[in-house]
Amino acid sequence: MGDQKESLRKITHTLAMKNEEISNFVCTVKQSLSNLEANSNRVQEDLEAEFTALHSVLDEMKDSMVTRIKQEKASRAYELQSQLSAGSKALESSEELLELANQTLCSSETDGFNQAAKDIKDSVTMAPAFRLSLKAKASDNMSHLMVDFSQEREVLQGLKFLPVPATPEIQVSECQVCDNTVTVVWTLPEPDSKIDHYIVEHRRTNHEGPPRIREDYPWMVLEGIRELEHTLTGLRFDTRYITFRVKACNKAVAGEFSEPVTLETHAFTFKLDAASCHQNLKVEDLSVEWDSSGGGKVQDIRKEKTRTNSPMHSPARSALMSPKRAPSARPGRDRFTAESYTVLADTMIDAGQQYWEVRFDKESKAFAVGVALRSLGRFDQLGKSSASWCIHLNNWLQQSLTAKHNNKARALDCAIPNSIGVYVHYDEGTLSFYNPKTKQLMHTFKTKFQQPVIPAFMVWNGSFSVVTGLQVPSAVQSGQRKNSGTSSSNASLT
């Protein structure tokens, strides 16, 4: 009895699910029928409106051309009518003179003949018939106003519904990714004058290849593109790839999307390691602010040995990076303390070229940016040991900007910018600092990194924010190539 009830209960559940499924299907079909009726009425109304507009254009052209014919007819008729009137009068006068001449010739009177002949001669000389032009001033030919609408008729007979635009094809070889800018180029199978614009969609992803059913990021839509290419600028590459697809649209309908194309957007991304930063530093995402209420003074240091977990990992290597090893998990480190108001990134650099920027409050009492080894001590200040290299801004007593390493400093003769770009070429042992706006080189350290380095920052009585996801700017790469092979003037600091 119990098994039968359970079996019946399962059947009931299955039937209920199937009923719900069928009910949803019926609702969908009903909605489709309703949409079909509405869409059919809409396109029929649009069609009638287009034909009405076409008829209006034809009627206007007909009226204009008929008016032109009537005006031409009236003008010529006036000229011919004037000539007809003048000719009739001349003929009447000429006939009168002819009759008078005949009567004079037939007269038997000799007296006055000579005078009569002279009078007739004078009258003939002044007669309108001899001053009248016998060439018509206007032609009766109206063939120049004839029309031949055979081509237009063929065009009208060729009217049909707008075809669905062909599917574009993205030309991967012509697409460019450079300076956090992406240019996408596409073509059509054949020219189509009916295409009005294109729609480009792009989506960030960390997976190479075709889009998956479930992605972490949504499609971003760009509409109204008139050319066969589009450039996206000012991007932040916080994923490994960007996927693009394009479709063409005419006035009525959009075509199918092109096959998605995934372009690599390699850039250096990291977060700040809030777990090991100084207690006086308030870290929120990639922004840091000095907070005097956070404790962390020498007399407040607790002598506990508990370590906090602080994951460290290496950025994904591109094809240009050496794949010689993958980073292993590192144990957490103690917080920085005392006067080391330091915060590190959570990502190590162990190969390749990387670049990031930091915007800082120029009124900060002290600020520094650079790189450090993992072995940097919790009491060590940036630039004051062999484990770190940095540019240091000091606003205490007097303002100064110096390059520091291993407790040695070099004053920099350059204006203090609002932000600093940091370039690391790990394999060549190069650490350079730039003005991001002007791309002016501020300072370069030349060394040989014996172990991975970490982006490092320090601030006292101030704040800063980090910008990651940046590619190495072309101007920086060009400047590095130009300076390669030349001796460094900063050797004393390396």
Side-chain angles (χ1 to χ4, degrees), residues 303-336:
K303 298 180 180 180
E304 55 180 316
K305 296 182 179 180
T306 304
R307 294 176 180 266
T308 56
N309 291 327
S310 175
M312 305 292 292
H313 56 275
S314 174
R317 298 164 180 259
S318 66
L320 299 177
M321 293 183 176
S322 172
K324 58 187 178 182
R325 68 175 179 86
S328 57
R330 300 292 188 101
R333 58 171 297 139
D334 289 329
R335 279 187 179 274
F336 289 98

Side-chain angles (χ1 to χ4, degrees), residues 320-322 349-354 424-427:
L320 299 177
M321 293 183 176
S322 172
I349 301 173
D350 57 6
Q353 304 176 59
Q354 314 296 347
V424 176
H425 194 321
Y426 184 86
D427 304 311

Side-chain angles (χ1 to χ4, degrees), residues 268-273 276 310-315 330-331 333 336 342-351 354 356 369-376 382 387-390 422 424 426 431 433 449 451-458:
F268 185 43
T269 60
F270 60 84
K271 296 181 180 180
L272 296 177
D273 185 14
S276 65
S310 175
M312 305 292 292
H313 56 275
S314 174
R330 300 292 188 101
R333 58 171 297 139
F336 289 98
T342 304
V343 59
L344 302 178
D346 66 347
T347 304
M348 296 182 298
I349 301 173
D350 57 6
Q354 314 296 347
W356 66 95
V369 58
V371 297
L373 303 180
R374 176 66 176 161
S375 59
L376 183 68
L382 292 186
S388 62
W389 300 256
C390 73
V422 185
V424 176
Y426 184 86
L431 170 63
F433 299 88
F449 298 120
Q451 54 181 292
V453 294
I454 312 166
F457 311 87
M458 183 280 295

